[in-house]
Amino acid sequence: MSKIKLTFDFPPVAQARPRATRFGRGIRLYDLEPVHVYKKQLAESARFMYKGELLTGPLKVTIRFYREIQRSESKKRHRLKAQGAIRPTKKPDLDNYIKSTLDGLNGVLWTDDNEIVELHTGKYYSDQPRVEIEVEEEKEAEE
């Protein structure tokens, strides 16, 4: 059973609704620029940090999203946010962070995110915005 831990030292970006454009007789869907850049940066960083083979399921994944603490906060609230006593409850939604991150790591850490059977996530504040991810291959039962 292998387990990997990666830290991406850039702020998380939430998945936005895809936009559509006409393409001949069809329609082409695409991500907004910040989401596209985030997914690309995530994939490139993961390829640099992880040189192993693609992990195959079932996979257990833990992701921690650290957002920047607003500069306008009082020193007391800043300290409480940095300690984790106050957690982000405003937008963007946690599930949108998850979607953009899992999609960005498809084909880099795992073949497809459909192999993830267990997921633990959370949003936090920090002076160093980042994304921390742990992936563990779960051993399948023998028949």
Side-chain angles (χ1 to χ4, degrees):
M1 198 165 20
S2 63
K3 186 175 189 176
I4 61 168
K5 295 181 181 183
L6 302 175
T7 300
F8 302 97
D9 292 321
F10 45 84
V13 176
Q15 179 71 47
R17 292 186 190 272
R19 300 302 191 253
T21 185
R22 289 197 180 276
F23 186 71
R25 292 184 165 209
I27 295 176
R28 182 178 157 260
L29 297 175
Y30 63 95
D31 285 327
L32 293 177
E33 185 69 17
V35 178
H36 175 74
V37 169
Y38 172 71
K39 288 179 181 180
K40 187 175 179 181
Q41 188 177 21
L42 206 62
E44 288 173 358
S45 297
R47 278 189 195 98
F48 179 76
M49 290 187 274
Y50 178 70
K51 304 291 186 197
E53 292 187 24
L54 291 178
L55 300 173
T56 55
L59 302 173
K60 291 181 181 181
V61 178
T62 301
I63 309 173
R64 291 177 195 86
F65 299 100
Y66 291 89
R67 297 175 49 177
E68 187 170 16
I69 301 172
Q70 300 90 334
R71 289 190 176 97
S72 60
E73 291 290 2
S74 68
K75 288 181 182 178
K76 179 181 178 182
R77 282 188 58 85
H78 186 281
R79 187 180 75 257
L80 290 171
K81 286 183 175 188
Q83 293 171 345
I86 298 176
R87 304 255 310 260
T89 56
K90 306 280 189 230
K91 288 188 181 258
D93 297 349
L94 181 60
D95 61 325
N96 292 328
Y97 277 144
I98 295 167
K99 183 71 176 148
S100 62
T101 303
L102 295 182
D103 286 350
L105 295 172
N106 277 342
V108 179
L109 292 184
W110 46 73
T111 307
D112 193 82
D113 55 3
N114 65 355
E115 297 182 36
I116 297 170
V117 298
E118 193 172 319
L119 181 65
H120 301 272
T121 64
K123 290 192 300 187
Y124 305 89
Y125 285 114
S126 175
D127 288 321
Q128 292 89 34
R130 65 192 181 279
V131 178
E132 295 177 353
I133 186 165
E134 293 178 27
V135 184
E136 185 176 357
E137 286 180 307
E138 189 175 89
K139 204 166 196 149
E140 292 191 72
E142 297 291 322
E143 289 185 30

